[in-house]
């Protein structure tokens, strides 16, 4: 499709209404539609990777039949008006790849537990195929990337099938200070599958919503600060932000070379662990991965034990509580569950964050974003529709009605005005931020109280989506581990008015295995995951 025509149709089709088309929350037709959506459970709903792999091995399914079933669910629940808008593009080669996978299996060459498993990936991750990589931005619509990102190479080597790409907060939520999470010019507004007028959080909005709605068993998101753990919490799934460098970032549209990482999202801890190990490895194109040598594993499922909390010392970060009384009540029940599972609870603990650390992070992200995007677009070469961050800004200004119908691009403009990565202010801010977040922050707290992990609420219940005024989330914790580049995992912990709430566990570098063990034990003891309800609104009757 010619690019100008694509932009026109994308602008008309991508900007979607936030409520069911036939009315607001009191509309009986909307309620009926929600009941119909919830009733249309697919054969693969809530099935784990292990269950899918067992079905493939036994002959119950083929990879082709899995792809076909997931494609039907996406067509039914995602694409229509009023759907989730979690999938921004389906892979036109998915069925052909499934046939290849089935042929390999028949020949006795199954590559491992992910062989033939369909996986969705975020639309800021390069694929050297017929799909585009746009970060949801109309400015990047055009030819695809020249090659796979390293983690996509690893995903394909494991035998998985890239089913498609997920919608996201445009530019991974680094475009405006008044943006709506889950909205992109190319994909429209992603919805929360529990209550459709609620926000899925971001920026890995589509990955979280797609996993929750069983459009796939596992998906890949990316995070700079909260972009995996928040949508995982809001959509009732498990999400793990790895240590920076455990997974390569090459071939991923960047924000920050200091804080960026991709990570797995799934409905169970075991699915997240399975995907995590398959994509590790040292990548010459990403120097941060050199630090993972000797620390990474190809199989993290060996950590999954129901007694994974026994004897573990868990510190409670009370500074992250207090933004919602019902979230606090859920966290208190989570603490009780961990104590009953054998954990030693240290309550409270305090992470000493130096004054100004948020400002340092702000500076670091903007400087690195400008540098990283310019480098990324230059590497795309002739395949890049635009060649620099300045070009992106100019495109948006020239196409404002389509690219900026609700909010602007002040974050892009501010970043483009920043100096280069050799500037003294940037280097000083980055050094002080990392020292404050790592040695003086998380590491000092772990050492002082002899902790195995720190616990905090991931976030509150999903807020009502508002593209005019932007996000209005109330609280939660992601910043400490994000600024440090340390791992964090969120697990479903309860519900507020039917909306999921997650609990986070985080620690020091390269501790993904122990965190998975503790998360798995909590998950097995509490079993808080519930399928989404597709309600149009929390208010469905009355005046």
């Amino acid at each position: 499709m010619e690019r100008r025509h694509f932009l026109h149709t994308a602008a008309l089709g991508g900007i979607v209404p936030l409520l069911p088309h036939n009315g607001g929350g009191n509309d009986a037709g909307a309620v009926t539609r929600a009941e119909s959506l919830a009733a249309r459970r697919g054969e693969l709903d809530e099935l784990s990777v292990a269950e899918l792999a067992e079905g493939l091995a036994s002959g119950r399914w083929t990879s082709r039949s899995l792809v076909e079933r997931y494609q039907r669910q996406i067509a039914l629940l995602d694409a229509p008006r009023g759907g989730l808008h979690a999938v921004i593009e389906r892979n036109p080669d998915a069925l052909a790849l499934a046939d290849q996978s089935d042929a390999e299996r028949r020949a006795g060459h199954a590559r491992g537990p992910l062989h033939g498993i369909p996986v969705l990936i975020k639309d800021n991750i390069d694929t050297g195929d017929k799909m585009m990589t746009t970060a949801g931005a109309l400015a990047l619509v055009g030819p695809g990337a020249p090659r796979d990102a390293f983690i996509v190479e690893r995903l394909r080597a494991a035998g998985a099938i890239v089913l498609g790409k997920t919608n996201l907060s445009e530019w991974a939520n680094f475009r405006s200070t008044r943006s709506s999470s889950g909205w992109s010019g190319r994909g429209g507004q992603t919805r929360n599958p529990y209550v459709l007028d609620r926000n899925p959080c971001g920026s890995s909005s589509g990955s979280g919503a797609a996993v929750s709605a069983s459009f796939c068993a596992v998906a890949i998101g990316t995070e700079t600060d909260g972009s995996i753990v928040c949508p995982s919490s809001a959509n009732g799934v498990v999400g793990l932000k790895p240590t920076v460098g455990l997974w390569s970032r090459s071939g991923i549209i960047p924000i920050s070379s200091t804080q960026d990482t991709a990570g797995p999202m799934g409905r169970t801890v075991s699915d997240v662990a399975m995907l995590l190990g398959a994509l590790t490895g040292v990548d010459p194109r990403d120097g941060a991965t050199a630090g993972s040598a000797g620390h990474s594993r190809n199989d993290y499922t060996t950590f999954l034990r129901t007694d994974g909390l026994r004897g573990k010392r868990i510190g409670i970060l009370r500074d992250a509580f207090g933004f919602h009384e019902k979230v606090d009540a859920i966290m208190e029940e989570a603490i009780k569950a961990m104590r009953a599972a054998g954990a030693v609870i240290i309550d409270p603990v305090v992470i000493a964050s130096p004054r100004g650390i948020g400002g340092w992070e702000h500076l670091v992200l903007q400087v690195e974003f400008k540098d990283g995007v310019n480098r990324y677009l230059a590497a795309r070469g002739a395949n890049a529709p635009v060649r620099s961050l300045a070009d992106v800004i100019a495109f948006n200004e020239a196409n404002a009605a389509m690219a900026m119908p609700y909010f602007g691009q002040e974050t892009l403009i501010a970043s483009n005005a920043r100096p280069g990565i050799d500037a003294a202010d940037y280097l000083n801010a980055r050094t002080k931020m990392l020292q404050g977040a790592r040695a003086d922050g998380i590491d000092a707290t772990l050492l002082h109280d002899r902790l195995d992990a720190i616990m905090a609420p991931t976030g509150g219940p999903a807020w009502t989506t508002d593209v005019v005024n932007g996000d209005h989330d109330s609280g939660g914790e992601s910043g400490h581990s994000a600024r440090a580049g340390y791992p964090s995992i969120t697990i479903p912990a309860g519900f507020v008015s039917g909306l999921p709430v997650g609990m986070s566990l985080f620690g020091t570098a390269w501790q993904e295995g122990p965190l998975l063990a503790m998360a798995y034990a909590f998950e097995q003891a509490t079993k808080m995951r519930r399928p989404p309800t597709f309600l149009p609104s929390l208010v469905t009757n009355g005046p």
Side-chain angles (χ1 to χ4, degrees), residues 16-376:
V16 297
L18 298 179
L19 291 172
H21 70 277
N22 54 355
N26 296 335
D27 186 84
V31 177
T32 301
R33 173 171 171 75
E35 291 171 348
S36 176
L37 288 173
R40 293 176 181 177
R41 310 308 297 169
E43 182 184 354
L44 307 181
D45 282 12
E46 297 295 305
L47 294 185
S48 68
V49 171
E51 289 170 319
L52 295 176
E54 182 181 356
L56 287 170
S58 68
R60 178 181 178 185
W61 300 300
T62 62
S63 295
R64 169 176 270 269
S65 69
L66 291 185
V67 168
E68 289 173 337
R69 283 165 169 79
Y70 281 130
Q71 286 180 337
R72 282 199 294 269
Q73 283 297 92
I74 293 168
L76 179 68
L77 299 177
D78 190 69
R81 189 178 187 192
L84 293 185
H85 296 276
V87 180
I88 203 168
E89 184 173 3
R90 283 185 277 176
N91 187 355
D93 295 326
L95 287 174
L97 294 170
D99 289 340
Q100 293 174 18
S101 176
D102 290 332
E104 289 182 3
R105 186 179 295 277
R106 288 193 299 270
H109 299 308
R111 304 186 192 187
L114 290 178
H115 187 95
I117 302 296
V119 178
L120 287 167
I121 68 174
K122 190 174 177 180
D123 181 41
N124 60 350
I125 302 172
D126 285 350
T127 53
D129 53 20
K130 297 173 185 174
M131 292 188 289
M132 291 183 279
T133 304
T134 68
L138 296 179
L140 293 187
V141 167
R147 62 177 291 184
D148 285 343
F150 181 83
I151 59 171
V152 176
E153 293 175 354
R154 298 287 294 150
L155 190 65
R156 296 192 201 274
I161 297 165
V162 179
L163 184 62
K165 294 194 175 183
T166 55
N167 200 6
L168 68 161
S169 311
E170 187 176 307
W171 287 106
N173 236 357
F174 211 71
R175 197 190 94 177
S176 171
T177 57
R178 197 170 42 76
S179 61
S180 173
S181 288
W183 186 91
S184 72
R186 184 179 169 214
Q189 178 65 56
T190 308
R191 295 177 172 135
N192 190 304
Y194 286 87
V195 182
L196 296 174
D197 69 352
R198 296 275 163 164
N199 198 270
C201 200
S203 64
S204 303
S205 314
S207 295
V211 167
S212 187
S214 290
F215 296 163
C216 57
V218 286
I220 297 174
T222 66
E223 174 163 331
T224 304
D225 189 337
S227 288
I228 289 173
V229 295
C230 185
S232 295
S233 174
N235 292 282
V237 301
V238 179
L240 189 147
K241 182 198 84 74
T243 305
V244 171
L246 186 70
W247 278 13
S248 168
R249 288 89 49 84
S250 67
I252 300 177
I253 298 175
I255 293 178
S256 167
S257 58
T258 298
Q259 294 182 201
D260 284 354
T261 180
M265 303 167 75
R267 290 183 297 273
T268 67
V269 175
S270 61
D271 284 351
V272 164
M274 196 173 297
L275 184 57
L276 179 68
L279 273 59
T280 60
V282 175
D283 175 12
R285 292 193 289 157
D286 181 3
T289 60
S292 71
H295 295 290
S296 68
R297 292 172 176 257
N298 294 324
D299 183 4
Y300 283 90
T301 63
T302 57
F303 287 94
L304 306 183
R305 299 167 53 97
T306 55
D307 64 352
L309 279 165
R310 189 173 305 280
K312 301 300 181 184
R313 293 174 63 86
I314 310 295
I316 310 303
L317 188 64
R318 287 286 168 182
D319 287 349
F321 287 57
F323 60 88
H324 196 299
E325 70 280 1
K326 291 185 178 180
V327 173
D328 286 351
I330 290 171
M331 294 302 111
E332 296 301 338
E333 291 301 313
I335 293 168
K336 290 179 183 177
M338 289 192 292
R339 185 178 282 117
V344 178
I345 302 298
I346 312 301
D347 188 5
V349 299
V350 176
I351 300 175
S353 294
R355 184 186 300 273
I357 194 168
W360 300 334
E361 180 183 26
H362 184 71
L363 172 60
V364 167
L365 297 189
Q366 288 192 348
V367 170
E368 293 183 350
F369 178 71
K370 175 185 177 180
D371 178 75
V373 167
N374 286 337
R375 289 175 184 271
Y376 171 83

